[in-house]
């Protein structure tokens, strides 16, 4: 049964259907620019999708089927980023949103079309997988605004883009194409715009059909390797070992023996 919820005056929308969660940045009249309330709502929406809606994978999208996101809403900067003190408060909400995507217990797939700039690019970089329409355009314009990009988000850029292209993006503020980012491995696929939703849904459904505990253990282990976090690695090892006593492992073996598709419950 499909479940839905909305946050930040309906500008962050969440829904879940068949284990596939949808998180939509929904302000298309402003190219899905993300205001302060929307930044604060993103962790709440992800938590709801995981804890209440039962999402096994989350598709992160821009509303309106034109743009992913133009990034932070610059019209708020004069009030909310006017000096170092206000900037720290504002960037804390940015960082919390990036962390919520990065540290979600389920995989997050960014489905990107059109503009993917600044904070929108940062959210995509924090995701586990990224699939983009072939005309998508990416940029980090912080240097053109005279501000520094949050350091934790820079780490996501370096991990996803590689250090050379991350330097180019951050130092020049110039745009990058979807095909450039596919070549460097940031994007796992580039599609025709009309096929983007179908292509991402195929991947999402494949993930949702697999054993949730196995996926979670794999995601933790990958994060541990990327961050060189030994505590996280131990947590991943414990979770990995626990899969061998899970009901899903018994179901997987039974389904293989009976030549049928398994039905996993995450237990």
């Amino acid at each position: 049964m499909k479940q839905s919820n909305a946050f930040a005056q309906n500008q962050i929308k969440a829904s879940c259907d068949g284990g596939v969660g949808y998180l939509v940045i929904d302000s298309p009249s402003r190219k899905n620019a993300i205001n302060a309330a929307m930044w604060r709502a993103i962790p709440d929406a992800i938590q709801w999708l995981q804890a209440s809606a039962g999402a096994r994978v989350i598709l992160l999208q821009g509303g309106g089927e034109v743009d992913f996101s133009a990034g932070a809403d610059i019209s708020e900067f004069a009030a909310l980023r006017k000096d170092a003190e206000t900037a720290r408060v504002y960037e804390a909400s940015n960082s919390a949103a990036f962390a919520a995507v990065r540290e979600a217990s389920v995989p997050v797939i960014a489905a990107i079309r059109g503009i993917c700039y600044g904070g929108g690019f940062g959210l995509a970089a924090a995701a586990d997988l990224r699939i983009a329409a072939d005309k998508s355009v990416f940029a980090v314009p912080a240097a053109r605004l005279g501000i520094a990009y949050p350091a934790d988000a820079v780490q996501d850029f370096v991990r996803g883009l590689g250090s050379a292209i991350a330097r180019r993006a951050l130092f020049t503020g110039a745009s990058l194409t979807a095909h450039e980012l596919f070549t460097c491995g940031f994007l796992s696929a580039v599609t025709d715009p009309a096929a983007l939703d179908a292509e991402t849904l195929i991947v999402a459904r494949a993930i949702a059909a697999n054993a949730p505990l196995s996926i979670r253990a794999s995601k933790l282990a990958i994060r541990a390797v990327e961050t060189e976090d030994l505590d996280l690695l131990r947590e991943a090892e414990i979770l990995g070992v626990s899969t061998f006593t899970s009901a899903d492992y018994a179901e997987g073996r039974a389904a293989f023996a009976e030549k049928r598709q398994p039905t996993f419950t995450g237990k």
Side-chain angles (χ1 to χ4, degrees):
M1 182 176 67
K2 184 174 182 179
Q3 300 182 65
S4 300
N5 205 345
F7 305 81
Q9 296 183 326
N10 291 318
Q11 293 179 104
I12 296 294
K13 294 180 178 176
S15 62
C16 186
D17 189 8
V20 177
Y22 298 84
L23 179 60
V24 182
I25 305 164
D26 198 19
S27 182
S29 66
R30 298 186 60 80
K31 297 186 179 298
N32 296 320
I34 307 167
N35 62 34
M38 295 163 72
W39 283 117
R40 292 192 297 268
I42 288 171
D44 293 336
I46 291 175
Q47 176 62 19
W48 178 82
L49 284 166
Q50 295 175 114
S52 300
R56 296 185 177 187
V57 61
I58 296 171
L59 286 178
L60 176 61
Q61 305 170 314
E65 299 187 354
V66 176
D67 295 307
F68 182 73
S69 173
D73 187 345
I74 297 176
S75 69
E76 295 185 323
F77 283 13
L80 300 183
R81 255 180 169 175
K82 63 184 178 181
D83 52 32
E85 183 178 350
T86 55
R88 277 193 292 270
V89 173
Y90 186 93
E91 291 197 0
S93 63
N94 291 179
S95 293
F98 298 140
V101 173
R102 183 189 312 118
E103 298 170 11
S105 62
V106 302
V108 179
I109 305 171
I112 303 160
R113 51 166 48 91
I115 289 173
C116 183
Y117 286 176
F121 197 176
L123 288 172
D128 296 284
L129 296 170
R130 294 161 288 272
I131 300 173
D134 57 11
K135 301 300 182 184
S136 301
V137 182
F138 303 76
V140 188
R144 296 183 176 184
L145 294 172
I147 60 176
Y149 208 74
D152 52 346
V154 171
Q155 293 181 73
D156 291 326
F157 284 135
V158 173
R159 283 193 289 265
L161 296 168
S163 61
I165 296 180
R167 285 184 171 92
R168 174 183 163 192
L170 289 161
F171 295 169
T172 69
S175 62
L176 301 164
T177 68
H179 289 287
E180 287 178 289
L181 298 195
F182 176 71
T183 300
C184 78
F186 182 79
L187 299 174
S188 58
V190 175
T191 75
D192 182 271
L196 178 64
D197 291 342
E199 290 293 324
T200 54
L201 190 56
I202 288 170
V203 177
R205 284 175 172 166
I207 293 171
N210 285 333
L213 293 176
S214 298
I215 299 296
R216 183 181 172 196
S218 294
K219 177 165 180 173
L220 278 175
I222 291 167
R223 281 182 52 219
V225 170
E226 288 181 335
T227 60
E228 299 182 347
D229 186 326
L230 294 180
D231 290 335
L232 199 61
L233 183 60
R234 283 190 285 271
E235 185 180 345
E237 289 172 344
I238 291 168
L239 182 57
V241 169
S242 74
T243 63
F244 291 98
T245 59
S246 69
D248 279 351
Y249 179 45
E251 166 64 7
R253 297 198 316 273
F256 180 81
E258 297 163 11
K259 296 182 172 57
R260 61 174 175 81
Q261 291 297 313
T263 301
F264 294 118
T265 63
K267 299 178 181 178

